[in-house]
């Protein structure tokens, strides 16, 4: 029998009947409470959401229908009533008992659900986080003849449905009953329910109350009429303090009509790190979505905190964050433009407020200006920089100096600032965040400006040379000093410069430091690595200890007859120059300082003994 006959004789597989997934509701509730939702408090948001959506659906059919949501909390139980569209028995089986199905999806049409808050069909399950049983009594407004229906569900996954007499629910709408599960009574306490309802629902468009206490507070603070700009500023400052706990430096309106966004940005009164992620309050169609929206603004706008309402941004499934999509990217860019326009307006019309802002948040503006040429041009006269002439803007500094020199590190600036200032060299400290990038971008917005990085050669060239005859007479002194500092990779030169109080100046640049680091590594490496590192040796200039011939101490040291004492003194001047520059000390530098200090003490005590 060949293979084809053998295969033909095999019985054909019987068709498999499909199976449906089984859902462990308790496990799903545990998943929601520990991984999807950040806190049990979201149960109240989901109840408010369902009530508001039901009212919205009814008013779409009946524009004059009542729009009421009432919450009653007492004795560990909560009752939420709404005058919404209600449900029939078929709706209950189709919607409440099917996880993941939402009446707001409207067959997948985005337009049909644009007025609703909930879209994922899992909101009611959040109630199981605080309750073991959910009881819903509802009557449909779309089918007036349909009787009220009761749906009762337990967290074990079972539910019952029964119809009720008309007297149980005479008017259309829905009532949800919850009884707290063990350990969750605090979440259904009257004061907690009232606080959560105010937090989540203060901007909802309908009349929402906890008992007799109003929850909604419309219009929003940024949309209310005020007697004048000053009164508005005071009211919004109070609103900011209530929400975020600080009084803002200023308030920026964030109106983006095309994106359905209205709100404000509050400028922080104190500096914050650019790496700190800002948390913003975002309401979706009036309902608080999150207090920690981090991706709402560009990264450079870390100096503001926002609160706004939107009808265009999409929430994630947990409804506690924003979904990253093209709409959010567009909104982020538009809000960044509003903040940029506010800065430009301050620069044009209110320099005092701009100066107060920059005194605190210049880092954020510098971050923006390095990517935005127009912002750099606008902020150029205002952004402060540390310079040898004091704190100045780039514009002021460039007007004073034909060549704008800058250092890339704070240590380099501290090395040369006193000497450069005395010699008339203008230097900007580019060691702080963004500063060197902005200085180098200066010619792009101020044509003709010459920008150059300062190096040791430039500084040395501006120092006065010593008379050749005097330098020749001091050749023995210089030879002894150079011999002592040569192992440290440092040359010794003699110059005359001001201020006279500075005996020595340590100068190096990045190339010299790299060469010194390579040499240190070579000295500590084994033969193989020492050979490799040795092959990388370059022609980079060495560091320099510039001795000030005008300084009285240097003159006295240069007159010493003892080469050993001259070497010890040279080490001391080298160490003092490093300390004055606030440079980090290498182990060899620390050892040198200790050796020089002990040497000077020994010389001093020996001299005293000799005189004795």
């Amino acid at each position: 029998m060949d293979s084809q006959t053998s295969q033909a004789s095999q019985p054909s597989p019987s068709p498999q009947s499909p199976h449906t997934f089984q859902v462990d509701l308790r496990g799903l509730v545990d998943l929601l409470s520990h991984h999807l939702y950040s806190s049990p408090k979201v149960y109240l948001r989901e109840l408010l959401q369902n009530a508001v959506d039901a009212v919205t659906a009814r008013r779409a059919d009946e524009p004059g229908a009542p729009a009421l949501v009432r919450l009653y909390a007492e004795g560990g139980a909560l009752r939420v009533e709404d005058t919404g569209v209600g449900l029939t028995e078929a709706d209950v089986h189709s919607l409440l008992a099917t996880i993941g199905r939402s009446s707001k999806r409207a067959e997948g049409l985005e337009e049909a659900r644009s007025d609703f808050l909930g879209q994922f069909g899992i909101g009611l399950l959040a109630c199981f986080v605080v309750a073991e049983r959910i009881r819903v009594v509802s009557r449909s407004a779309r089918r007036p003849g349909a009787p009220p229906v009761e749906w009762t569900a337990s967290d074990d996954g079972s539910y019952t449905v029964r119809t009720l007499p008309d007297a149980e629910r005479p008017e259309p709408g829905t009532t949800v009953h919850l009884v707290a599960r063990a350990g969750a009574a605090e979440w259904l306490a009257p004061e907690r329910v009232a606080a959560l309802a105010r937090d989540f629902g203060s901007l909802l468009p309908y009349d929402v109350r906890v008992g007799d206490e109003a929850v909604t507070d419309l219009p929003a603070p940024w949309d209310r009429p005020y007697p004048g700009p000053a009164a508005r500023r005071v009211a919004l400052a109070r609103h900011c303090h209530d929400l975020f706990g600080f009084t803002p430096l200023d308030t920026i309106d964030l109106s983006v009509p095309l994106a359905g966004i209205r709100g404000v940005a509050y400028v922080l009164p104190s500096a914050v790190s650019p790496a700190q992620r800002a948390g913003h309050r975002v309401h979706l169609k009036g309902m608080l979505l999150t207090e920690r929206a981090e991706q709402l603004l560009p990264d450079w706008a870390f100096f503001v905190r926002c609160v706004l309402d939107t009808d265009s941004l999409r929430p994630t499934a947990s409804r506690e964050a924003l979904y990253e999509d093209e709409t959010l990217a567009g909104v982020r860019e538009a809000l960044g433009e509003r903040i940029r326009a506010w800065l430009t307006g301050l620069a044009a019309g209110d320099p005092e407020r701009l100066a107060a802002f920059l005194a605190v948040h210049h880092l954020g503006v510098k971050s923006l200006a390095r990517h935005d040429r127009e912002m750099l041009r606008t902020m150029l006269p205002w952004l402060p920089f540390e310079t040898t002439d004091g704190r100045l803007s780039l514009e002021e500094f460039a007007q004073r100096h034909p060549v704008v020199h800058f250092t890339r590190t704070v240590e380099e600036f501290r090395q040369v600032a006193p000497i450069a200032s005395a010699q008339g060299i203008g230097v900007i400290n580019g060691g702080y965040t963004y500063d060197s990038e902005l200085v180098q971008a200066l010619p792009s917005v101020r044509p003709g400006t010459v920008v150059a990085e300062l190096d040791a050669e430039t500084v040395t060239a501006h120092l006065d040379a010593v008379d050749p005859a005097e330098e020749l007479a001091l050749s023995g002194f210089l030879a002894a000093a150079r011999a002592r500092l040569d192992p440290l990779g440092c040359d010794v030169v003699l110059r005359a410069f001001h201020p006279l109080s500075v005996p020595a100046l340590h100068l190096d640049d990045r190339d010299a430091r790299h060469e010194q680091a390579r040499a240190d590594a070579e000295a500590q490496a084994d033969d193989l690595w020492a050979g490799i590192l040795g092959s990388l040796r370059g022609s980079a200039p060495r560091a320099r200890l510039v001795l000030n011939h005008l300084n009285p101490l240097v003159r006295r040291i240069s007159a010493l007859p003892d080469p050993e004492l001259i070497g010890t003194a040279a080490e001391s001047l080298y160490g003092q120059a490093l300390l004055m520059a606030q440079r980090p000390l290498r182990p060899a530098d620390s050892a040198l300082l200790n050796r020089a200090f002990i040497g000077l003490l020994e010389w001093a005590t020996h001299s005293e003994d000799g005189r004795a």
Side-chain angles (χ1 to χ4, degrees):
M1 181 182 296
D2 60 25
S3 60
Q4 291 183 345
T5 307
S6 175
Q7 292 175 2
S9 64
Q10 297 295 323
S12 59
S14 59
Q16 297 290 319
S17 58
H19 299 279
T20 59
F21 284 103
Q22 301 298 310
V23 177
D24 180 353
L25 192 56
R26 284 193 175 126
L28 182 57
V29 169
D30 181 72
L31 179 67
L32 294 176
S33 60
H34 290 95
H35 300 284
L36 184 63
Y37 297 127
S38 63
S39 167
K41 69 180 182 180
V42 297
Y43 87 93
L44 192 65
R45 182 194 63 198
E46 301 299 339
L47 288 174
L48 285 176
Q49 168 192 299
N50 287 341
V52 168
D53 284 344
V55 172
T56 299
R58 183 176 180 186
R59 286 172 73 89
D61 297 332
E62 307 173 48
L68 306 175
V69 179
R70 297 289 183 266
L71 295 87
Y72 302 95
E74 185 178 1
L78 175 65
R79 185 172 84 256
V80 182
E81 299 179 353
D82 68 67
T83 57
V85 68
L87 301 170
T88 64
E89 183 174 354
D91 294 333
V92 165
H93 286 289
S94 174
L95 301 175
L96 296 187
T98 305
I99 297 170
R101 180 174 295 175
S102 172
S103 61
K104 276 81 78 172
R105 286 219 174 89
E107 297 178 354
L109 297 178
E110 186 74 23
E111 297 81 7
R113 62 177 177 150
S114 61
D115 292 332
F116 297 106
L117 299 172
Q119 301 166 4
F120 296 101
I122 59 175
L124 198 60
L125 289 180
C127 295
F128 282 123
V129 175
V130 298
E132 292 181 338
R133 190 175 63 172
I134 303 173
R135 177 171 172 258
V136 178
V137 176
S138 186
R139 183 162 193 164
S140 175
R142 290 174 175 163
R143 293 185 57 191
V149 61
E150 177 191 69
W151 177 80
T152 304
S154 299
D155 64 359
D156 61 2
S158 63
Y159 72 92
T160 60
V161 178
R162 65 189 182 108
T163 57
L164 301 175
D166 289 347
E168 291 287 335
R169 180 84 200 192
E171 300 296 330
T174 300
T175 302
V176 179
H177 301 264
L178 302 180
V179 176
R181 67 166 58 246
E186 61 172 307
W187 295 104
L188 273 63
E191 60 278 5
R192 177 63 68 90
V193 169
L196 292 177
R198 284 192 300 270
D199 199 34
F200 285 122
S202 61
L203 300 185
L204 289 174
Y206 305 132
D207 183 3
V208 181
R209 296 176 181 270
V210 177
D212 296 327
E213 179 184 351
V215 167
T216 49
D217 187 18
L218 296 176
W222 49 85
D223 286 330
R224 295 173 190 169
Y226 295 98
R232 185 175 190 271
R233 192 176 297 116
V234 170
L236 289 178
R238 188 182 306 113
H239 176 248
C240 174
H241 191 273
D242 292 341
L243 281 185
F244 298 115
F246 65 85
T247 301
L249 277 179
D250 208 345
T251 300
I252 308 169
D253 283 305
L254 299 179
S255 176
V256 187
L258 290 178
I261 287 178
R262 288 283 300 163
V264 290
Y266 294 118
V267 181
L268 290 164
S270 56
V272 294
S273 167
Q276 180 177 331
R277 303 301 296 177
H280 307 290
R281 287 177 64 95
V282 177
H283 295 256
L284 179 61
K285 302 180 182 72
M287 180 74 75
L288 178 65
L289 179 69
T290 179
E291 301 173 279
R292 300 185 301 275
E294 295 181 350
Q295 67 273 52
L296 187 65
L297 295 181
D299 290 340
W300 57 261
F302 56 82
F303 50 83
V304 298
R305 295 292 180 270
C306 296
V307 54
L308 54 82
D309 188 28
T310 176
D311 59 14
S312 63
L313 299 179
R314 291 174 58 194
T316 58
S318 67
R319 294 182 43 77
E320 295 184 289
L322 296 171
Y323 186 79
E324 186 67 53
D325 57 9
E326 292 182 359
T327 301
L328 180 57
V331 166
R332 184 162 47 237
E333 182 177 351
L335 294 180
E337 286 295 330
R338 296 298 183 275
I339 298 174
R340 183 184 286 106
W342 170 78
L343 285 170
T344 304
L346 287 186
D350 201 338
E352 290 186 3
R353 285 170 67 198
L354 178 62
F357 166 74
L358 289 178
V360 179
H361 295 298
H362 56 274
L363 197 60
V365 181
K366 286 180 178 180
S367 173
L368 170 61
R370 69 193 179 114
H371 295 301
D372 190 318
R373 181 175 298 181
E374 286 305 312
M375 183 55 60
L376 178 60
R377 191 189 310 278
T378 301
M379 292 290 109
L380 197 60
W382 307 101
L383 287 174
F385 289 79
E386 183 180 359
T387 77
T388 49
D389 295 348
R391 288 188 72 80
L392 296 176
S393 70
L394 290 181
E395 177 67 28
E396 287 181 277
F397 190 83
Q399 289 174 0
R400 296 186 183 188
H401 299 279
V403 177
V404 177
H405 289 100
F406 72 97
T407 63
R408 290 189 181 274
T409 68
V410 175
E411 291 78 11
E412 289 175 359
F413 180 80
R414 288 170 178 163
Q415 276 183 278
V416 303
I419 310 304
S421 179
Q423 307 306 314
I425 307 173
V427 184
I428 295 176
N429 184 355
Y432 296 114
T433 306
Y434 311 131
D435 283 9
S436 62
E437 296 175 67
L438 292 174
V439 175
Q440 292 177 88
L442 185 56
S444 68
V445 296
R446 198 178 188 275
T449 303
V450 179
V451 175
E453 183 176 353
L454 189 70
D455 55 24
E457 292 287 347
T458 302
V459 177
T460 306
H462 280 77
L463 304 180
D464 294 335
V466 178
D467 181 83
E470 290 189 60
E471 187 167 3
L472 182 60
L474 297 174
S475 58
F477 158 72
L478 292 174
R482 286 167 180 158
R484 185 62 65 92
L485 296 183
D486 182 71
L488 296 171
C490 183
D491 291 333
V492 178
V493 296
L494 190 65
R495 293 289 186 272
F497 56 86
H498 293 272
L500 300 179
S501 58
V502 177
L505 176 66
H506 181 272
L507 293 177
D508 64 0
D509 53 24
R510 285 179 298 161
D511 291 336
R513 288 194 294 274
H514 290 164
E515 174 61 19
Q516 183 61 55
R518 186 209 59 77
D520 291 343
E522 181 182 357
Q524 298 174 13
D526 57 28
D527 292 342
L528 172 62
W529 282 107
I532 295 174
L533 291 170
S535 68
L536 297 177
R537 183 182 297 111
S539 60
R542 287 155 47 102
R544 298 177 183 180
L545 181 67
V546 184
L547 300 179
N548 188 359
H549 187 53
L550 302 179
N551 180 265
L553 176 61
V554 172
R555 284 181 173 272
R556 288 196 296 271
I557 294 173
S558 65
L560 292 172
D562 183 359
E564 185 66 26
L565 185 55
I566 290 175
T568 301
E571 288 179 334
S572 300
L573 290 173
Y574 172 84
Q576 188 263 354
L578 286 180
L579 294 174
M580 289 299 294
Q582 301 184 40
R583 292 288 302 278
L585 299 180
R586 299 170 298 160
D589 297 329
S590 299
L592 174 143
L593 281 172
N594 290 331
R595 183 171 64 249
F597 178 70
I598 297 299
L600 290 176
L601 284 179
E602 289 179 347
W603 175 82
T605 54
H606 176 74
S607 298
E608 290 293 333
D609 292 342
R611 284 198 297 269

